[in-house]
Amino acid sequence: MAAVLAGRRVRFDSGCGVRIRSWCPRWLRSCAVHRLREGVVVVEDRRKRRSRRQLREAFLSLVLERGYAAITVEDITERADLGRATFYTHYADKDALLDHIVTELIEEMQRRLDPVFGVTEQGFTGKAVLELFRHAAEEHDAYRVVLRGEGDGRALRRFVEDRSAAAIRAFAARSEAQAVEPRVDVGILARAWVGELLTNLSWWLESGSPMSAEEVTGQLFDVSTRGRYWASGFDGEPPARA
């Protein structure tokens, strides 16, 4: 196999071990090796991404069909049409694959929420809730697997803890920026908020509700800003706590 660089013919074998003729200048030999290695890295990265994507899709579809406990690595590789060796190149076992999926969800969700949570000069806007529902719509199967508690609930616990911690930080920063004192412990407030959101998100994904993300989050915004007493249809001030 051969390539032409700057008018010079460069020979290399099919395994990308470079053999450059002695009459090539040193700078050209160095450049050729560098560029060829770059090409090999790009090809390998694409193959790895494709393999991980196939394994991810196969895993999620199988878990939704049979449940996490019922599937094996062999099932995943057969569905993905890949060898066991390819699976173990990327993951130690199916637990590691599930952990990787949760990590991806958390990192991408946080990346999308950072600009929203960064607006500390505003009060509650509902934008973060809408962004969560939009992300879940894009990653429909991954969210369903996590929110169902597959894998002995480990993935769900991790997701809830991470989102609760992020909410605590955001609520505390927003209160400080606006110089207000929360009337409820920020930890309780954040966990109640996350629990409410994830319960409704799970229902929305599993039920096939015709309501759009905007419609659901709009109603959740009303509950958050106007209260459950108002949302339940009552007028006036809510009764005093017993």
Side-chain angles (χ1 to χ4, degrees), residues 119-123 170-183:
V119 185
T120 55
E121 70 276 7
Q122 297 182 13
F171 288 177
R174 188 164 291 171
S175 296
E176 183 178 355
Q178 297 183 66
V180 298
E181 186 67 28
R183 295 185 176 92

Side-chain angles (χ1 to χ4, degrees), residues 6 16-17 21 49 68 93-94 104 125 132 152 209 212 222 242:
C16 294
R21 293 181 176 178
R49 287 197 299 270
Y68 183 84
D93 48 32
K94 66 177 184 179
E104 286 185 325
T125 64
L132 172 66
D152 296 326
S209 170
S212 67
D222 286 339

Side-chain angles (χ1 to χ4, degrees), residues 110 117 160-176 182 185-194:
Q110 192 58 44
F117 281 157
V160 170
E161 289 168 3
D162 181 87
R163 292 299 84 203
S164 296
I168 290 171
R169 292 192 299 270
F171 288 177
R174 188 164 291 171
S175 296
E176 183 178 355
D185 179 85
V186 172
I188 293 176
L189 180 63
R191 292 183 184 92
W193 184 69
V194 169

Side-chain angles (χ1 to χ4, degrees), residues 77-99:
T77 54
E78 182 178 351
R79 176 68 63 89
D81 196 23
L82 294 170
R84 284 170 54 88
T86 300
F87 180 94
Y88 289 116
T89 296
H90 299 285
Y91 309 106
D93 48 32
K94 66 177 184 179
D95 288 349
L97 175 50
L98 178 58
D99 288 342

Side-chain angles (χ1 to χ4, degrees), residues 39-168:
V40 172
V41 170
V42 170
V43 171
E44 286 300 313
D45 284 348
R46 286 176 179 169
R47 287 175 180 171
K48 288 178 180 178
R49 287 197 299 270
R50 182 169 62 248
S51 295
R52 284 197 295 265
R53 183 173 62 253
Q54 288 173 257
L55 291 169
R56 184 182 193 271
E57 292 173 354
F59 171 79
L60 292 174
S61 64
L62 284 166
V63 172
L64 291 174
E65 290 172 16
R66 307 178 192 175
Y68 183 84
I71 67 171
T72 64
V73 170
E74 288 82 359
D75 294 328
I76 298 168
T77 54
E78 182 178 351
R79 176 68 63 89
D81 196 23
L82 294 170
R84 284 170 54 88
T86 300
F87 180 94
Y88 289 116
T89 296
H90 299 285
Y91 309 106
D93 48 32
K94 66 177 184 179
D95 288 349
L97 175 50
L98 178 58
D99 288 342
H100 182 73
I101 289 172
V102 177
T103 297
E104 286 185 325
L105 288 181
I106 289 173
E107 290 179 349
E108 174 60 17
M109 187 70 257
Q110 192 58 44
R111 185 189 68 78
R112 296 171 69 149
L113 289 180
D114 279 342
V116 177
F117 281 157
V119 185
T120 55
E121 70 276 7
Q122 297 182 13
F124 185 77
T125 64
K127 291 180 180 179
V129 180
L130 179 56
E131 202 59 51
L132 172 66
F133 272 70
R134 286 174 173 170
H135 186 228
E138 295 170 9
E139 293 286 354
H140 186 273
D141 288 348
Y143 269 88
R144 289 176 67 202
V145 165
V146 171
L147 295 178
R148 283 183 181 184
E150 296 286 358
D152 296 326
R154 185 181 69 257
L156 177 58
R157 287 193 298 272
R158 183 183 167 200
F159 191 78
V160 170
E161 289 168 3
D162 181 87
R163 292 299 84 203
S164 296
I168 290 171

